Amino acid sequence: MVSMSELLTTKNQVCAAIDAGRDAIVEIGEAIMDAPELGFKEYRSADRVKKFLSDVGLEYEDGLAVTGVKAVLRGGQPGPTVALMGELDALQVPDHPRADPETGAAHACGHNAQIAGMLGAAMGLVRSGVADRLAGNVVFLAVPAEEYVEIGYRLQLVKQGKTSFLTGKQELIQRGDFDDIDMAVMIHSTSPDVSDGSMGLAPSSNGFLAKNIRFIGKASHAGACPERGINALNAAQLALSAINAQRETFRDEDCVRVHPIITKGGDLVNIIPAEVCLETYVRAKTADAVLDAAHKVDRALKGAAIALGCQVEVETVPGNLPLRNDPRLAELFRSNAATLFSDDEYRDYPHSGGSTDAGDLSQIMPVLHPVMTGARGVHHQADWHIADMDAGYVAPAKTLAMMAVDLLGNAAQQARRVLSEHKPVMSKDEYLSRQHAVFQTQTFDGRS
Ligand SMILES: [Zn+2]
Ligand SMILES: [Zn+2]
């Protein structure tokens, strides 16, 4: 049995090792900021991760879900495995001052700080030599492709058999890279321009699926003989009205968000539109509410096709499942982060309408996805950057490392408690079959 003061001594030793490596942690955070790459293309970023892990003395597996990297620090006793995660990918924000001039990629969501924090935690836990005191393993995981972007490119990867899903954690779950992991923690950056307080947590966030929709009508001269055409744009407009008419059936507590756009409205102005394309996400707080709203969207699309006598093709693609943050992990986050900031700086945020693929993982194991300050600007905008190196890069490293010590120190009592009190929503197999079942392309013929 280990006393609280011994755990505190261990955490102090880990934090001292992180302080000693501060410059290297800041350096890799800034280096990745200056070399942003989009999801499933993060080769240079992965190379930097591998070099850092090697310098620390950890072996790794690489090429996981294209670019992912995984290293394991083994504790002195057997016990649960805790993953500390960082995301590798950037976004496309071409007017960001530190964007890649060729691809327009920019780290406008702070994922570079997640990688620095995860690697800093690895450095602290290894170099302090405390692993012998842990009961269980710590996995350091650099995860590709969290942002749900370049959908066409990623669907090509799926069709070529290079991936099975469109985001990194989904793909790692499918590949079995989480099979030896019992719980996972990551820290997302935030900024005083976005959220109050220095650190905090929303209990949950929305899940979603995506739809590519194509109404297929019939072209005809729009002036001379419109009666011989079938107007796909009118069908699409009717579909948008029918989708809007569903909104009063969405329950407030489900936080449903359906936000379609028209991506193609026709070909030429003097031709009755024969092909009109829409895209939409369907988001909600629970997986069942996503499916219910998606069913209503499909019904609206079919109804519009019947009304105009045209066809509609609906390609449905799995997005993220809703995030459920584990309350026991949340307590450990708060108590450790409070030693770096102050407990007054902690905030409980409301349920978020946004989405992350940490949500997928949270359906099958305990997961924590809190936020910590250090950036300035607004997520996904050109002004976003890490402004405070210690809060943005070093504090997440210390918090992650201290959480690992709390979880696996003292014979892993805390980690075992997290596991015993956690009820997964579904098994990995149920997760995979549920998400695979979302992939569908259906053509509905309303011409009869
Ligand atoms: Zn983002
Ligand atoms: Zn992000």
Side-chain angles (χ1 to χ4, degrees):
M1 191 57 70
V2 181
S3 71
M4 289 302 288
S5 69
E6 282 172 271
L7 272 185
L8 195 58
T9 304
T10 301
K11 288 198 253 185
N12 285 341
Q13 288 168 337
V14 171
C15 287
I18 291 172
D19 282 331
R22 177 196 179 273
D23 291 350
I25 296 167
V26 171
E27 187 186 342
I28 193 162
E30 289 291 285
I32 293 176
M33 180 83 193
D34 282 324
E37 297 166 297
L38 292 170
F40 293 130
K41 302 174 185 172
E42 311 98 325
Y43 296 103
R44 290 174 303 176
S45 306
D47 284 345
R48 289 184 195 278
V49 169
K50 289 183 255 181
K51 177 160 188 317
F52 195 103
L53 290 169
S54 293
D55 289 349
V56 167
L58 285 170
E59 292 178 5
Y60 54 78
E61 291 174 80
D62 63 351
L64 311 178
V66 188
T67 53
V69 185
K70 178 180 181 181
V72 184
L73 175 65
R74 300 199 181 279
Q77 303 290 323
T81 296
V82 176
L84 307 181
M85 301 190 292
E87 293 160 351
L88 287 161
D89 60 326
L91 283 156
Q92 237 164 355
V93 185
D95 59 343
H96 193 288
R98 292 164 79 176
D100 182 305
E102 280 176 28
T103 64
H107 271 292
C109 203
H111 296 187
N112 56 311
Q114 294 180 23
I115 295 292
M118 180 272 289
L119 292 173
M123 174 189 268
L125 288 163
V126 172
R127 292 200 174 151
S128 59
V130 303
D132 279 354
R133 294 176 225 165
L134 304 181
N137 299 332
V138 185
V139 163
F140 307 100
L141 194 54
V143 183
E146 185 272 336
E147 303 282 357
Y148 197 91
V149 298
E150 293 196 301
I151 295 173
Y153 169 75
R154 293 187 190 180
L155 280 173
Q156 280 305 316
L157 292 180
V158 172
K159 281 165 191 164
Q160 292 162 4
K162 292 180 179 161
T163 57
S164 300
F165 287 108
L166 275 70
T167 76
K169 294 183 200 72
Q170 298 179 331
E171 188 67 16
L172 292 173
I173 293 171
Q174 156 92 22
R175 288 171 36 91
D177 294 315
F178 281 106
D179 288 358
D180 60 347
I181 291 169
D182 296 299
M183 64 192 74
V185 181
M186 56 180 287
I187 297 174
H188 201 292
S189 301
T190 191
S191 126
D193 302 309
V194 177
S195 51
D196 185 39
S198 294
M199 32 103 180
L201 183 74
S204 52
S205 70
N206 270 355
F208 75 100
L209 53 73
K211 287 180 181 286
N212 296 321
I213 299 142
R214 192 162 76 101
F215 281 98
I216 306 153
K218 192 174 162 196
S220 184
H221 194 297
C225 48
E227 72 281 5
R228 292 195 191 166
I230 299 173
N231 193 319
L233 181 59
N234 284 342
Q237 285 178 316
L238 205 52
L240 294 178
S241 294
I243 290 168
N244 287 334
Q246 311 296 324
R247 295 191 192 278
E248 68 180 4
T249 73
F250 299 149
R251 302 185 310 172
D252 290 349
E253 60 267 37
D254 288 334
C255 194
V256 177
R257 303 274 189 274
V258 182
H259 39 93
I261 57 169
I262 297 180
T263 54
K264 180 182 177 187
D267 290 293
L268 287 171
V269 68
N270 60 356
I271 302 173
I272 295 293
E275 181 185 65
V276 169
C277 299
L278 312 179
E279 283 177 12
T280 192
Y281 278 12
V282 181
R283 303 186 197 248
K285 194 170 180 178
T286 67
D288 286 342
V290 171
L291 293 180
D292 176 67
H295 171 67
K296 290 170 181 170
V297 168
D298 286 345
R299 215 168 52 191
L301 298 170
K302 290 175 187 172
I306 291 174
L308 271 292
C310 68
Q311 293 170 283
V312 62
E313 190 182 275
V314 184
E315 181 179 33
T316 305
V317 186
N320 303 144
L321 290 188
L323 173 70
R324 312 156 68 230
N325 277 311
D326 183 86
R328 298 277 164 246
L329 292 174
E331 286 170 18
L332 294 180
F333 168 77
R334 178 173 178 166
S335 61
N336 284 300
T339 66
L340 305 174
F341 300 95
S342 96
D343 199 52
D344 295 347
E345 286 293 307
Y346 176 86
R347 298 290 183 275
D348 282 312
Y349 302 117
H351 171 80
S352 164
S355 309
T356 167
D357 64 355
D360 294 65
L361 200 57
S362 77
Q363 299 285 319
I364 63 172
M365 68 173 65
V367 163
L368 195 75
H369 184 285
V371 298
M372 189 173 275
T373 194
R376 286 309 301 249
V378 178
H379 297 95
H380 295 203
Q381 292 188 16
D383 59 350
W384 177 273
H385 63 285
I386 301 299
D388 178 333
M389 302 294 143
D390 290 298
Y393 294 129
V394 183
K398 289 182 177 176
T399 306
L400 289 173
M402 288 193 285
M403 286 183 72
V405 170
D406 269 340
L407 286 163
L408 299 179
N410 200 7
Q413 276 189 15
Q414 290 277 17
R416 293 184 210 281
R417 182 168 164 233
V418 168
L419 290 172
S420 71
E421 293 180 10
H422 180 85
K423 280 200 184 66
V425 180
M426 58 187 86
S427 69
K428 174 191 164 187
D429 287 346
E430 286 165 343
Y431 164 76
L432 290 174
S433 55
R434 182 169 194 138
Q435 286 290 61
H436 278 300
V438 176
F439 277 111
Q440 268 185 20
T441 302
Q442 288 184 305
T443 303
F444 179 77
D445 197 338
R447 289 177 300 182
S448 56

